[in-house]
Amino acid sequence: MSESPVWHPFWQHGLGQPVTRVTRAEGAALYTAEGRRVIDAVSSWWVTTHGHCHPRIVEAIREQAGQIDQLIFAGWTHDPAEDVARGLTAILPPELTRVFFSDSGSTSVEVALKMALGFWAHSGEPRHRILVMEHSYHGDTIGAMSVGERGVYNAPYDPLLFDVGRIPFPVGDGANTIEALEAACCDRPAAFIVEPLVLGAGGMMMYGAGVLAAMAEVCRRHGVLFIADEVMTGWGRTGTLLACEQAGVVPDILCLAKGLTGGSMPLAVTLAREPIFQAHWSTDRAKTFYHSSSYTANPIACAAARANLAIWREEPVRERIATLGARQQAGLDRLAVLPGIRNPRRCGTIIALDVEDPAGGYLSALAPRLMALFREAGVLLRPLGNTIYVMPPYCISAEDLTRVHDAIADAVAVVLKG
Ligand code: PLP
């Protein structure tokens, strides 16, 4: 067969590593074209929450596809979107009154930034500066990259990225972060965007709920909009529906995607407090919120999200999350004592650890070697540099999870031998 024309994301084709073809997915398992069963220990890029092809979500998609497949959303609406919006406002903090649909985590962030800038512009006090936390990741569109960490993955585009204020990642009790945020807030920035509790792509870096609460409080005191990017941390990953819950924080703007549809369809929402919506509410058409994409609130994706909300209401999702968290902790305790393991950590259902590597960093040579060993072991894990993390769907069995932890122990032993 001729070479595939597919250009894969975050994949260096020049390294000649094989691309695995998957023909079926169920629960926490992927089945390859060669008939191998592979455990999906990264929830297919952090999206799959209840497991692949959850029957209720599959059925909802099937049914909706035969009713309304797609509908323009500017001034038109449909039941699945209305139900999702109401379902979200019913389970999220009541201050978040408005739901804006888009189709990926990156676009939910772009929308959040535009809402924040629009709020200030239409309030007659234009503010433009965005504050971010160092090591953050918010997506790969230009705006989302601008508010994320700069590095090898966005260096070619750097001249186009807008300038932001960077707040250091919390050390110890986080006083360094709070002090820097306090100082930066005096310059009247528009907003501070943050990944609550866990900085995912930055290396599964974790910080405490106390720091999160303190950051939100500083922003509140200075009237700086607090944007919580819960694209990765939302939908139970950190042990609660939202990570912000653990800090008693209600953001001004909240980004959700990935697990919104249980990880089955591309859909995102950006929720806002009422004053942000009201700043755009006007008889003046110039104050319209000018943002959309063709598939905004696609009915099939919304039907999947509606099914996801029903699963959260009707199935013991929180119990599954607690069980998974405990099993992950047991596995982490076992891995933590092995030679070469540094900084073992857990937040809810996510565990992470660093493998000793003096070179370290995102381009650590360990990553491709580890990934290949995991692949041989029938486990899908994708280290971030020398950081290995496990973020499985909540339905993963105890046996499969043990296999994942065993694969990590084995692979680390191999790479540390040199
Ligand atoms: N924000 C965070 C915190 C993320 O982890 C990600 C993706 O991993 C994004 C935004 C971007 O989401 P998407 O890949 O759906 O555009």
Side-chain angles (χ1 to χ4, degrees):
M1 234 197 302
S2 64
E3 192 192 353
S4 165
V6 174
W7 186 345
H8 288 268
F10 277 69
W11 188 254
Q12 181 43 269
H13 286 259
L15 296 180
Q17 289 183 319
V19 170
T20 312
R21 189 176 293 234
V22 170
T23 51
R24 192 166 71 80
E26 186 183 351
L30 307 172
Y31 297 89
T32 71
E34 295 90 47
R36 291 191 74 199
R37 181 177 185 275
V38 177
I39 304 168
D40 185 352
V42 296
S43 296
S44 277
W45 252 344
W46 319 346
V47 303
T48 309
T49 47
H50 313 298
H52 288 278
C53 296
H54 189 292
R56 292 175 70 173
I57 296 178
V58 171
E59 188 45 40
I61 291 171
R62 213 190 295 275
E63 203 178 304
Q64 185 59 41
Q67 288 178 9
I68 316 171
D69 52 352
Q70 160 68 2
L71 180 73
I72 180 172
F73 207 60
W76 295 75
T77 195
H78 48 78
D79 286 348
E82 296 293 332
D83 293 346
V84 169
R86 284 184 196 286
L88 286 169
T89 53
I91 55 168
L92 296 175
E95 292 89 340
L96 295 167
T97 50
R98 301 289 168 170
V99 181
F100 190 93
F101 286 93
S102 63
D103 40 31
S104 73
S106 302
T107 54
S108 75
V109 167
E110 298 285 350
V111 166
L113 297 174
K114 286 174 71 172
M115 278 179 178
L117 298 187
F119 169 79
W120 290 112
H122 301 322
S123 303
E125 191 197 333
R127 296 188 184 192
H128 305 109
R129 194 162 175 76
I130 306 290
L131 302 179
V132 309
M133 185 181 274
E134 66 173 338
H135 304 302
S136 297
Y137 175 79
H138 298 287
D140 284 334
T141 49
I142 294 287
M145 273 193 292
S146 296
V147 295
E149 184 72 3
R150 307 292 160 89
V152 62
Y153 28 83
N154 50 33
Y157 330 112
D158 193 63
L160 275 188
L161 305 184
F162 57 77
D163 190 32
V164 293
R166 290 184 191 279
I167 307 303
F169 183 79
V171 178
D173 65 359
N176 62 323
T177 304
I178 302 306
E179 260 170 47
L181 183 59
E182 189 81 53
C185 279
C186 293
D187 294 337
R188 306 168 72 75
F192 176 45
I193 181 166
V194 73
E195 292 169 86
L197 299 188
V198 186
L199 273 54
M204 295 299 153
M205 299 173 75
M206 301 178 186
Y207 62 92
V211 182
L212 178 57
M215 291 190 302
E217 173 53 22
V218 171
C219 289
R220 195 199 55 76
R221 223 174 338 99
H222 288 271
V224 173
L225 296 176
F226 187 84
I227 305 174
D229 175 355
E230 295 238 21
V231 166
M232 187 281 277
T233 53
W235 302 104
R237 290 292 178 201
T238 68
T240 42
L241 178 64
L242 295 185
C244 279
E245 247 173 86
Q246 297 179 39
V249 164
V250 179
D252 295 301
I253 303 179
L254 169 69
C255 304
L256 293 173
K258 295 189 187 277
L260 170 60
T261 59
S264 62
M265 296 281 291
L267 187 72
V269 285
T270 308
L271 289 102
R273 288 186 185 231
E274 191 62 17
I276 295 168
F277 175 76
Q278 288 302 331
H280 293 81
W281 195 100
S282 172
T283 50
D284 178 358
R285 289 169 63 201
K287 290 191 173 179
T288 304
F289 187 51
Y290 288 112
H291 187 97
S292 184
S293 58
S294 315
Y295 287 105
T296 290
N298 171 265
I300 305 173
C302 285
R306 184 169 58 186
N308 170 52
L309 286 167
I311 290 167
W312 271 87
R313 275 194 307 271
E314 294 159 22
E315 294 188 18
V317 179
R318 288 176 176 79
E319 287 79 352
R320 285 178 200 148
I321 286 169
T323 303
L324 174 56
R327 287 178 181 156
Q328 284 273 65
Q329 185 63 54
L332 186 66
D333 291 344
R334 195 155 61 79
L335 293 169
V337 295
L338 298 178
I341 298 297
R342 299 281 174 268
N343 195 15
R345 52 202 183 272
R346 177 176 78 92
C347 184
T349 68
I350 309 166
I351 59 167
L353 47 86
D354 304 334
V355 182
E356 203 169 70
D357 177 15
Y362 189 77
L363 290 186
S364 164
L366 292 183
R369 289 186 64 203
L370 286 165
M371 207 161 30
L373 290 164
F374 294 141
R375 192 191 294 242
E376 276 169 35
V379 171
L380 169 49
L381 280 172
R382 205 171 190 279
L384 295 157
N386 59 325
T387 299
I388 301 175
Y389 70 91
V390 184
M391 193 194 297
Y394 309 147
C395 65
I396 190 169
S397 67
E399 297 71 37
D400 277 351
L401 193 61
T402 301
R403 272 187 59 199
V404 173
H405 297 150
D406 287 349
I408 294 173
D410 294 346
V412 169
V414 171
V415 296
L416 288 182
K417 261 192 225 140

